[in-house]
Amino acid sequence: MRRRKFIGRALGGGAIIGGTSNLGVTSYSYAEQKRQAVKVQENGKYEILLKGGHVIDPANNINGIMDVAVAEGKIARVEKNIPARDAKRTIDVSDLYVTPGLLDIHLHCFHSRPRYIIADDHCFPSGVTTCCDAGSAGADSFEDFIEIIESARTRILIFLNISSAQGTPKADRDNPTFFDILLAVETAKKYSDIIIG
């Protein structure tokens, strides 16, 4: 399973970063406006240097103006005034927030169904890099959901629906007649890396 991919637009119009092995870039109009603020050079021990952003990282007790250096797809250094000469690509993020990706704990992104959202379209513009789908699929339809989960850049975790009456009126989904507990348990065990409840 892919890990979170970072760098997108955070709440309030910021940038997001994270220490993962797969660094991805989400395009957004604000980034296009700042393209002239990107400096590229051939040498440097970091692939990317985010200069002057307001870093909010509760896990490391950071809340202030810092530079963030990325090497081999991971956060390599976070401190004030990292020299631009140390990076192949330097991006001025001085008016942006920089934070690890956020988590959305309730959405419905089995988007082959009516009224459900596309996780990447909904999450990245809000600074969300991991989401939890709250029961869009049951064990009987979960195999169809796998392709969406694997193709998304957003990390999608699943709360499996215990009902086998997917795509029917809510009254049917709440009817114990349609519950298939054994199949739900079997499916949850098979996909324990992404089914979390």
Side-chain angles (χ1 to χ4, degrees):
M1 182 72 190
R2 295 164 327 284
R3 288 184 169 72
R4 297 176 292 177
K5 298 183 180 184
F6 291 90
I7 299 188
R9 186 173 179 186
L11 296 170
I16 347 179
I17 55 135
T20 67
S21 58
N22 296 317
L23 192 69
V25 177
T26 302
S27 63
Y28 55 97
S29 59
Y30 194 78
E32 299 299 322
Q33 296 169 15
K34 291 194 61 94
R35 185 168 285 188
Q36 71 276 9
V38 176
K39 295 181 177 147
V40 179
Q41 64 183 15
E42 208 170 296
N43 299 319
K45 57 184 173 182
Y46 306 118
E47 282 94 32
I48 300 172
L49 176 62
L50 303 178
K51 287 288 287 179
H54 185 131
V55 177
I56 301 173
D57 182 3
N60 292 300
N61 221 13
I62 297 172
N63 184 4
I65 305 301
M66 296 277 189
D67 295 346
V68 179
V70 179
E72 297 179 8
K74 296 182 180 181
I75 302 305
R77 190 172 163 195
V78 178
E79 61 186 61
K80 294 180 184 279
N81 301 318
I82 299 172
R85 68 178 175 274
D86 291 348
K88 294 176 184 171
R89 186 171 178 222
T90 300
I91 304 171
D92 176 8
V93 294
S94 55
D95 54 351
L96 301 176
Y97 290 103
V98 183
T99 181
L102 305 175
L103 173 66
D104 186 332
I105 61 170
H106 186 142
L107 55 78
H108 296 278
C109 56
F110 191 177
H111 62 76
S112 62
R113 302 292 171 91
R115 301 183 309 278
Y116 289 14
I117 64 165
I118 297 172
D120 290 347
D121 293 348
H122 177 76
C123 294
F124 278 122
S126 302
V128 173
T129 56
T130 299
C131 67
C132 299
D133 182 277
S136 298
D140 62 330
S141 58
F142 188 73
E143 297 285 338
D144 297 332
F145 199 2
I146 291 291
E147 186 177 338
I148 292 169
I149 294 166
E150 291 181 345
S151 65
R153 294 175 64 216
T154 305
R155 182 180 182 211
I156 302 173
L157 302 175
I158 306 299
F159 291 108
L160 189 67
N161 197 316
I162 198 167
S163 175
S164 60
Q166 297 302 308
T168 61
K170 186 177 188 314
D172 288 343
R173 293 197 311 267
D174 293 341
N175 184 339
T177 305
F178 294 99
F179 295 177
D180 191 337
I181 295 170
L182 293 178
L183 183 58
V185 169
E186 182 181 308
T187 304
K189 286 181 178 177
K190 183 178 180 182
Y191 296 102
S192 62
D193 57 331
I194 53 176
I195 297 178
I196 59 172

